[in-house]
Amino acid sequence: MATSGKADLIRQNERRTNGADASRLDVSPEMFQHLESAAKKSKVEIEDVREAMLELSVKQQEVAKGSEDVTEAFQRFGLEFDDVINEKPLNLFRQIADSIASGENQDNFIADLDTILSDDGKKLIDAFKNDFFAKVSESRKIGATFSDQQIAE
């Protein structure tokens, strides 16, 4: 019984952690778990995904303030000003990943990825090239997460 109680406490702590991380990224706790699952399958750290997405939201603000360098980096990934400032970070993250997977912006993508997602984003290149978001979709189909309601409990 003690082991079961300890396991329950660990799961509760994971739920709280996932909920807090999800909130910082403007995604649901359930989606955060799918991102975590995709990260594991892609052999990258969820911390790198989290930090890259947080940096992305900072860069969105820089674009809104008129940063030309950051705006140009987004444009080379096919994202215009309105796309960048109006989209949620997860949607932009997906569009950048899809752009890399499709081979767009081959001449500048590493420098542009560094500009937009920092060093953490560069650690995700192989995951993006190997269709990171297909793994997110696969996780969603399997339903291998706690629901938002379970996390709130």
Side-chain angles (χ1 to χ4, degrees):
M1 195 66 138
T3 304
S4 176
K6 185 176 180 180
D8 287 342
L9 287 174
I10 290 170
R11 279 194 294 276
Q12 287 174 355
N13 186 46
E14 286 175 353
R15 289 177 188 171
R16 279 193 294 276
T17 300
N18 286 344
D21 285 339
S23 177
R24 289 178 59 208
L25 298 177
D26 195 21
V27 298
S28 71
E30 190 173 348
M31 176 52 79
F32 183 82
Q33 291 176 79
H34 294 304
L35 291 168
E36 187 172 35
S37 174
K40 286 178 185 175
K41 289 179 182 176
S42 298
K43 296 180 178 30
V44 296
E45 299 293 324
I46 188 60
E47 290 80 16
D48 294 330
V49 173
R50 181 182 56 237
E51 292 302 316
M53 287 183 65
L54 289 171
E55 185 67 20
L56 176 60
S57 66
V58 168
K59 297 305 179 175
Q60 282 181 281
Q61 295 169 17
E62 288 183 23
V63 168
K65 292 177 183 176
S67 171
E68 288 184 32
D69 292 345
V70 178
T71 300
E72 290 170 1
F74 275 109
Q75 287 173 336
R76 285 188 288 271
F77 283 114
L79 298 163
E80 295 300 326
F81 179 84
D82 287 340
D83 300 326
V84 175
I85 63 169
N86 292 321
E87 285 287 345
K88 288 192 173 228
L90 179 62
N91 294 338
L92 288 176
F93 194 69
R94 175 190 299 267
Q95 291 174 23
I96 290 167
D98 290 347
S99 178
I100 291 169
S102 70
E104 286 181 43
N105 189 22
Q106 289 201 1
D107 294 337
N108 293 310
F109 88 91
I110 292 175
D112 290 340
L113 202 57
D114 187 45
T115 298
I116 297 170
L117 303 179
S118 76
D119 287 338
D120 297 300
K122 291 191 299 187
K123 295 175 186 175
L124 304 175
I125 291 171
D126 287 338
F128 290 162
K129 285 184 176 181
N130 291 307
D131 209 358
F132 178 80
F133 277 93
K135 292 171 180 68
V136 171
S137 294
E138 179 182 311
S139 176
R140 292 179 82 178
K141 285 179 187 172
I142 294 170
T145 65
F146 293 112
S147 71
D148 290 342
Q149 181 179 356
Q150 289 171 311
I151 292 168
E153 293 175 352

